[in-house]
Amino acid sequence: MSDGKISIQNGKLTVPDQPVIPFIIGDGTGPDIWHASVRVFDAAVEKAYGGSRKIQWKEVLAGEKAFNETGSWLPDATVEAIDEYLVAIKGPLTTPVGGGIRSLNVALRQKLDLYTCLRPVRYFTGVPSPVRTPEQVDMVIFRENTEDIYAGIEAKAGTEKAARLLEILADEFPEDFAKVRFGTAEKVSEFDQLRGSDDVPSVEVGIGIKPVSRTGTERLVRAAIQYAIDHGRKSVTLVHKGNIMKFTEGAFRDWGYALAEREFGDKVYTWAQYDRTAAAEGTAAANAEQDAALKAGKILIKDAIADIALQQVLTRPKEFDVIATLNLNGDYLSDALAAQVGGIGIAPGANINYVTGHALFEATHGTAPKYAGKDMVNPSSVILSGVLMLEHMGWQEAADLIIKGIEASIGSKRVTYDFHRLMEGATKLKTSEFGDEIIKNM
């Protein structure tokens, strides 16, 4: 295999005509999906560039296949290959049962510092949807990948670690310890007495720590705003729960606004600016200022409380464009939005470090082992993740051909079983046949 390494300099990728792309085939339905997807990718690249460009695929191991062949769920060689070649793509992976790695997906993100989980959500005409106007959904979620409660700083209830953390809170931060509802035997006993129980009180409190940093916030928000600029988007919404978690989620909002004004002041208008003008000159002046900024082509940087945002992406989807949010909020939002446009079976995903250039594109659904080897599941999540990958590489022409093929295939109601059962007059295709259909319609 020739040296086809993708490189990055000053935040810009340099992609050779024959780049080496590591791939993880995935567990369960992964092989069925990959075999259909890779043919779509190769056909799109061939058609777009007439043979002058070609991807050199390099298989690396993770998940069950890796464990069966090497004894490791995530071999060092896999991480090293992705680190070396920068860009990779993967199918769905099994989460190992028992101790060790909590999630292979999380492990890969953390080892490579893939701080942005990119989840575009859009509707393809004809896809069955539970909402009236799914075509109004066209959003891109930037979900922080390395901080928040997903950092995994936890202590199991009843363990020495949990007891020690409670002890530190009690000794060093008594006001905070007082907020732990059942942090002492006395509090447990008091409640037990109210319900007429004479059980021996037992303090069992699980502890989780939620780190949110300025640096982590700024690099995510910076990527989201730059994406909005590069793709002609109209707004970036900072979704948070800062009304309750003021020093983590509230700080995320405040740091996001400050970054937007400091680094993109000539290209954006923020609600923080609006609030300052409203306080100093009144709401009429603030409205006029915002209107003038938007008419001049500036991107609106605004925020929304997470629970309200989850309502409004359903009731007022046109008001959302790019969304930047912390990990847990982003988890809820991305899957809820995917449901509006047909489910996570067609939801693409990417995990990106925009500074180092590392990017891992992936299926967003599970392994569905009961369908493994049956050539029947929808491969669209991996295929659309490949579209994201091609766009990331600057191969837009190939990406556009795949989108064209998917739109035409779904529009003609020639689909896999998941859509077939919900679409009147549809023709059911196998996974491999759906790949063929996309290629035919490019």
Side-chain angles (χ1 to χ4, degrees):
M1 185 174 291
S2 62
D3 182 11
K5 294 180 183 178
I6 296 172
S7 60
I8 188 169
Q9 188 170 12
N10 299 322
K12 299 294 184 182
L13 288 183
T14 298
V15 181
D17 286 339
Q18 295 191 22
V20 175
I21 304 292
F23 72 93
I24 298 169
I25 200 166
D27 297 326
T29 56
D32 288 346
I33 291 170
W34 178 253
H35 294 145
S37 300
V38 71
R39 290 189 297 105
V40 171
F41 303 149
D42 288 344
V45 171
E46 170 65 28
K47 183 168 185 178
Y49 307 113
S52 64
R53 293 179 180 178
K54 181 179 176 62
I55 293 174
Q56 301 182 78
W57 298 106
K58 175 182 175 66
E59 184 174 8
V60 294
L61 301 178
E64 288 181 339
K65 185 174 183 179
F67 185 77
N68 292 336
E69 293 188 18
T70 71
S72 171
W73 290 93
L74 183 58
D76 290 342
T78 294
V79 179
E80 291 166 2
I82 299 173
D83 186 33
E84 179 179 2
Y85 292 103
L86 294 189
V87 174
I89 188 167
K90 58 175 281 295
L93 290 176
T94 297
T95 296
V97 176
I101 296 174
R102 292 186 308 148
S103 162
L104 291 170
N105 296 323
V106 172
L108 281 164
R109 295 168 193 168
Q110 292 180 342
K111 285 177 180 289
L112 295 165
D113 195 27
L114 305 174
Y115 61 84
T116 294
C117 179
L118 183 69
R119 292 286 295 271
V121 186
R122 57 157 290 184
Y123 180 67
F124 287 93
T125 301
V127 171
S129 168
V131 299
R132 290 181 179 178
T133 55
E135 67 278 359
Q136 294 181 4
V137 177
D138 183 10
M139 306 176 204
V140 181
I141 300 170
F142 278 71
R143 170 190 172 197
E144 208 290 319
N145 242 353
T146 62
E147 297 192 316
D148 197 6
I149 60 174
Y150 275 54
I153 308 171
E154 293 187 288
K156 184 179 179 180
T159 63
E160 182 179 347
K161 181 179 179 181
R164 178 62 179 143
L165 287 170
L166 289 171
E167 182 183 327
I168 292 170
L169 275 176
D171 292 346
E172 303 294 335
F173 308 99
E175 290 185 2
D176 291 317
F177 180 70
K179 299 174 184 177
V180 181
R181 181 63 184 88
F182 295 109
T184 66
E186 290 77 15
K187 287 183 176 180
V188 175
S189 178
E190 179 183 302
F191 181 76
D192 283 346
Q193 289 175 14
L194 287 174
R195 66 185 186 90
S197 171
D198 57 0
D199 292 343
V200 176
S202 174
V203 176
E204 296 186 53
V205 181
I207 302 292
I209 296 177
K210 178 187 176 79
V212 177
S213 70
R214 175 175 173 176
T215 299
T217 295
E218 288 185 343
R219 66 181 185 173
L220 179 85
V221 174
R222 181 181 296 115
I225 295 174
Q226 190 61 57
Y227 181 96
I229 293 169
D230 293 343
H231 292 81
R233 296 280 181 159
K234 295 181 179 179
S235 72
V236 176
T237 304
L238 309 174
V239 174
H240 61 92
K241 192 63 179 170
N243 57 327
I244 303 298
M245 293 173 276
K246 300 182 185 299
F247 304 129
T248 51
E249 305 238 350
F252 174 84
R253 176 202 59 200
D254 295 342
W255 287 328
Y257 276 140
L259 179 282
E261 294 180 19
R262 185 175 69 250
E263 296 189 8
F264 299 94
D266 61 333
K267 294 182 175 65
V268 305
Y269 180 84
T270 75
W271 274 7
Q273 290 173 270
Y274 179 97
D275 289 343
R276 291 195 299 269
T277 299
E281 303 175 36
T283 56
N287 287 333
E289 181 181 72
Q290 177 174 292
D291 289 345
L294 299 184
K295 287 178 181 177
K298 289 193 173 184
I299 295 169
L300 179 63
I301 312 296
K302 54 183 179 173
D303 72 275
I305 302 297
D307 45 342
I308 298 171
L310 279 163
Q311 293 181 50
Q312 292 181 341
V313 295
L314 183 64
T315 59
R316 292 188 275 177
K318 285 185 176 181
E319 295 184 12
F320 293 87
D321 198 338
V322 175
I323 293 173
T325 189
L326 290 165
N327 201 303
L328 184 60
N329 297 332
D331 201 358
Y332 296 150
L333 272 168
S334 54
D335 282 3
L337 280 167
Q340 291 180 227
V341 298
I344 59 174
I346 61 165
N351 302 279
I352 301 173
N353 184 317
Y354 288 95
V355 177
T356 67
H358 291 103
L360 179 62
F361 300 84
E362 64 178 0
T364 59
H365 53 73
T367 59
K370 71 177 181 179
Y371 296 114
K374 295 183 178 180
D375 194 21
M376 64 183 293
V377 297
N378 191 336
S380 295
S381 180
V382 168
I383 291 174
L384 288 169
S385 296
V387 169
L388 291 182
M389 182 185 73
L390 292 167
E391 291 176 340
H392 182 71
M393 292 163 54
W395 292 14
Q396 189 65 50
E397 298 86 356
D400 290 344
L401 283 173
I402 297 175
I403 293 295
K404 177 185 175 185
I406 291 175
E407 287 177 335
S409 301
I410 294 173
S412 63
K413 296 186 178 183
R414 294 179 59 78
V415 293
T416 48
Y417 87 99
D418 53 326
F419 288 168
H420 172 264
R421 62 186 177 179
L422 300 172
M423 296 171 70
E424 186 176 348
T427 300
K428 183 168 69 173
L429 302 180
K430 297 178 180 180
T431 307
S432 54
E433 292 172 337
F434 187 64
D436 294 336
E437 192 72 15
I438 294 171
I439 293 169
K440 183 183 76 174
N441 288 316
M442 285 181 183

